[in-house]
């Protein structure tokens, strides 16, 4: 059983900060196999000077250190034991398999997990032991994401926790704790690559520009919320949800009145049809109640703003106060725009699929469904413990 995945009702899920507890319990029992099994499913991190990593982003220097007379180790940290954020000290994210496949020239060197802490674990790293690491890693389930996770020492209540919970869709999909504003999101170089390749962000100025666009609701195309606003105005004026044809014709006519050309008008008409089809699918899969509908999609910008703030912090484009301020602001904007976690989630889901799914009902839609179910159904979810109002 993967302890980071949502389990059926009644079965507890294990947040990453409990990795340390599991290691400690296994150590008390003298169960070295269980220690390796836990590490095989855990994120491990190697610290490094930021200047060194910036100079050689493709290199990971994992040097042995003498920590006592006759005791030489290679150190790694689990996520729950990472130190506070520092501007000039960053972390590579690795796996136990990566550690096993490294060159270990001296068989006397030990693997030090959370060295120098009360939960320190020293493990032999001979070829035989490393072969055992590889076997344990191969026996684990390693998905690309979809892990419901939290940190015990992260925010659980208050405005910062609320804002972080607004970014929980992506945190779930990326398999990282939803409530962490700290040293890493995934890893320093991973963050830089993601921001560069997916957002065309390579520096602080670019990061701040994109963050402001998300908080202002300017990143996503405006047409979906235009069409949804027309439907809502018709509903208020008539006292009932308009028929599909009435909505489509009114939205197209209004777009034409605003100066839209024939192609743009046809786009609005097709957009209304797409929204109706997605909403029907959402109702069938539980993202909307039987008579539910989406009122606006700006949740998709707000949810990404939360994560962009976290990515910027991990990439050292900002310091914790600025990231936390943006996250709190995103949460306040979401609260003013929606009436519940469920309504917010449906708005986020529609914004995402209209942007990327193309009615394929593929990974973008499936990710929405998985995150929505985990966040609305499981007892440890922030949405079950942080009130919307």
């Amino acid at each position: 059983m993967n302890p980071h995945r949502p389990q059926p009702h009644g079965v507890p899920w294990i947040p990453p900060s409990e990795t340390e507890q599991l290691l400690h319990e296994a150590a008390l029992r003298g169960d070295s196999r269980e220690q390796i099994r836990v590490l095989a499913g855990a994120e491990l991190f190697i610290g490094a000077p930021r200047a060194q990593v910036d100079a050689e982003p493709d290199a990971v220097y994992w040097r042995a250190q003498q920590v006592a007379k006759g005791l030489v180790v290679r150190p790694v940290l689990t996520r729950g034991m990472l130190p506070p954020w520092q501007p000039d000290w960053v972390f590579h994210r690795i796996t136990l398999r990566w550690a096993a496949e490294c060159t270990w020239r001296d068989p006397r060197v030990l693997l030090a997990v959370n060295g120098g802490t009360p939960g320190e674990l020293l493990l032999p790293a001979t070829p035989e032991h490393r072969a055992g690491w590889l076997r344990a890693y191969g026996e684990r389930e390693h998905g690309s994401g979809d892990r419901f996770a939290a940190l015990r020492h992260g925010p659980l209540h208050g405005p910062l926790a609320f804002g972080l919970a607004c970014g929980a869709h992506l945190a779930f999909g990326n398999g990282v704790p939803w409530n962490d504003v700290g040293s890493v999101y995934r890893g320093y170089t991973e963050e830089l690559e993601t921001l560069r390749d997916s957002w065309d962000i390579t520096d602080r100025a670019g990061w701040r520009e994109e963050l402001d666009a998300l908080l202002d609701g300017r990143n996503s195309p405006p047409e979906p919320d235009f069409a949804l606003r027309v439907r809502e105005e018709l509903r208020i004026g008539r006292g009932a949800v308009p028929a599909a044809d009435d909505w489509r014709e009114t939205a197209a006519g209004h777009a034409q009145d605003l100066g839209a050309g024939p192609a743009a008008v046809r786009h609005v008409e097709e957009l209304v049809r797409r929204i109706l089809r997605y909403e029907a699918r959402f109702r069938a899969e539980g993202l909307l109640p039987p008579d539910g509908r989406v009122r606006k999609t700006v949740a998709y910008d707000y949810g990404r703003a939360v994560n962009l703030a976290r990515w910027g912090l991990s990439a050292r484009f900002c310091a914790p106060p600025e990231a936390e301020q943006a996250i709190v602001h995103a949460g306040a904007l979401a609260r003013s725009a929606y009436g519940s976690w469920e309504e917010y989630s449906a708005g986020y889901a529609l914004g995402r699929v209209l942007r990327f799914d193309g009615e394929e009902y593929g990974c973008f839609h499936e990710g929405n469904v998985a995150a929505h179910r985990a966040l609305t159904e499981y007892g440890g979810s922030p949405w079950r413990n942080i009130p919307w109002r």
Side-chain angles (χ1 to χ4, degrees):
M1 179 181 294
N2 185 333
H4 294 177
R5 290 186 177 274
Q7 304 299 333
H9 289 291
V11 178
W13 57 275
I14 302 172
S17 59
E18 290 193 9
T19 297
E20 298 78 36
Q21 181 64 29
L22 292 173
L23 291 173
H24 176 66
E25 292 172 356
L28 290 177
R29 298 193 302 270
D31 190 343
S32 59
R33 287 189 177 182
E34 178 63 12
Q35 291 170 343
I36 298 302
R37 192 193 74 83
V38 172
L39 291 174
E43 298 172 291
L44 303 175
F45 298 89
I46 297 173
R50 178 184 173 188
Q52 180 188 77
V53 179
D54 286 343
E56 299 180 85
D58 295 328
V60 179
Y61 294 102
W62 192 25
R63 296 184 174 90
Q65 302 175 3
Q66 183 169 338
V67 295
K69 186 176 181 179
L71 182 60
V72 181
V73 303
R74 274 179 157 176
V76 297
L77 295 170
T78 55
R79 183 180 284 270
M81 296 302 292
L82 288 168
W85 184 95
Q86 300 175 56
D88 298 322
W89 189 256
V90 298
F91 293 88
H92 300 285
R93 184 173 66 159
I94 67 163
T95 64
L96 188 64
R97 181 178 68 181
W98 184 93
E101 292 174 345
C102 280
T103 300
W104 294 69
R105 293 186 175 87
D106 187 342
R108 294 170 296 178
V109 175
L110 303 177
L111 176 67
V113 182
N114 299 328
T117 75
E120 179 180 71
L121 177 63
L122 300 176
L123 296 173
T126 66
E128 293 77 15
H129 285 96
R130 298 200 307 277
W133 301 357
L134 290 173
R135 286 194 299 272
Y137 187 88
E139 293 168 358
R140 302 286 300 192
E141 181 182 1
H142 299 282
S144 60
D146 286 2
R147 298 188 302 175
F148 187 69
L151 289 183
R152 286 177 169 177
H153 54 266
L156 295 172
H157 305 285
L160 180 58
F162 183 91
L164 286 166
C166 290
H169 290 92
L170 272 175
F172 173 83
N174 289 323
V176 302
W178 69 268
N179 66 334
D180 186 19
V181 192
S183 295
V184 302
Y185 186 91
R186 285 165 296 201
Y188 177 67
T189 55
E190 292 177 79
E191 240 58 78
L192 291 174
E193 291 171 3
T194 297
L195 291 170
R196 182 193 66 220
D197 297 342
S198 299
W199 293 80
D200 197 28
I201 294 173
T202 58
D203 56 21
R204 170 182 161 73
W207 168 79
R208 188 68 231 191
E209 182 179 355
E210 289 293 342
L211 180 61
D212 289 339
L214 289 168
L215 292 170
D216 292 341
R218 294 184 284 107
N219 183 280
S220 293
E223 293 84 0
D225 276 3
F226 165 80
L228 293 170
R229 188 164 57 251
V230 169
R231 180 172 64 179
E232 191 65 10
E233 290 172 354
L234 287 172
R235 183 196 67 80
I236 294 172
R238 299 179 181 183
V241 178
D245 289 344
D246 288 345
W247 177 24
R248 186 179 66 254
E249 292 170 2
T250 303
H254 190 28
Q256 192 171 28
D257 292 342
L258 293 173
V265 171
R266 288 193 297 272
H267 174 66
V268 169
E269 291 181 309
E270 179 53 31
L271 183 59
V272 168
R273 296 187 182 97
R274 289 180 65 199
I275 290 172
L276 288 168
R277 291 191 290 267
Y278 271 119
E279 287 182 326
R281 185 66 172 261
F282 286 5
R283 285 188 284 269
E285 296 191 336
L287 273 72
L288 283 172
D291 59 347
R293 64 189 182 281
V294 177
R295 292 190 301 111
K296 55 186 70 176
T297 64
V298 72
Y300 186 51
D301 276 7
Y302 297 157
R304 287 183 297 158
V306 171
N307 287 276
L308 190 66
R310 294 180 63 183
W311 298 332
L313 183 64
S314 186
R316 297 334 190 242
F317 290 154
C318 67
E322 185 176 8
E324 292 176 6
Q325 182 182 39
I327 292 166
V328 170
H329 185 38
L333 291 169
R335 183 175 267 155
S336 67
Y338 295 92
S340 67
W341 287 114
E342 291 78 8
E343 186 182 340
Y344 171 83
S345 184
Y348 178 96
L350 183 61
R352 190 179 193 217
V353 295
L354 289 175
R355 185 82 176 269
F356 296 113
D357 183 62
E359 288 193 270
E360 295 179 359
Y361 300 97
C363 62
F364 292 100
H365 172 70
E366 292 169 356
N368 287 336
V369 174
H372 181 89
R373 289 176 177 170
L375 290 163
T376 57
E377 294 177 10
Y378 291 96
S381 164
W383 294 6
R384 296 284 299 273
N385 294 281
I386 301 175
W388 185 263
R389 296 296 179 192

